[in-house]
Amino acid sequence: MNALSAANAVAAVASIAFALVGGVRPAALSQSGTPSAGERFYGWMYATRAVPLGLAALFAPIAWPGPAGSLILSAAAAAQVGDAAIGVATRKWTMIAGASLLTAVHAATAVATA
């Protein structure tokens, strides 16, 4: 469980970091030249949801072991499934791979903490 907890922590921190990058520098993730006002808006909108969920996923196995923590980790895994689906739709292979890996880690941790 210690290795899984560590992997979950790394996954959660990575998710938080990418959400913050999306808010601060949306063009870094979208690979557009100059981000539009809408792109900046959606970058921050994504970050305001992903950062709290990432923090919850980071602390859930420790603070809420059992069903509550498992539910939070399942929600984090579901969010990553959505990110992977967006990656498929936009053909961003790094997004597909990263989100799929984070899905697996959060889901495995959810099962282990249930």
Side-chain angles (χ1 to χ4, degrees), residues 84-107:
I86 293 168
V88 169
T90 58
R91 297 187 179 172
K92 294 187 185 278
W93 305 112
T94 54
M95 185 174 183
I96 297 166
S100 296
L101 177 63
L102 271 58
T103 297
V105 171
H106 288 323

Side-chain angles (χ1 to χ4, degrees), residues 12-79:
V13 169
S15 181
I16 293 165
F18 276 97
L20 291 173
V21 169
V24 175
R25 295 186 47 99
L29 298 180
S30 69
Q31 300 168 347
S32 63
T34 303
S36 67
E39 191 175 5
R40 287 189 300 275
F41 169 78
Y42 280 104
W44 278 116
M45 191 172 75
Y46 174 75
T48 61
R49 287 155 178 75
V51 170
L53 184 57
L55 288 170
L58 176 63
F59 294 112
I62 300 162
W64 307 289
S70 183
L71 179 63
I72 290 168
L73 290 164
S74 296

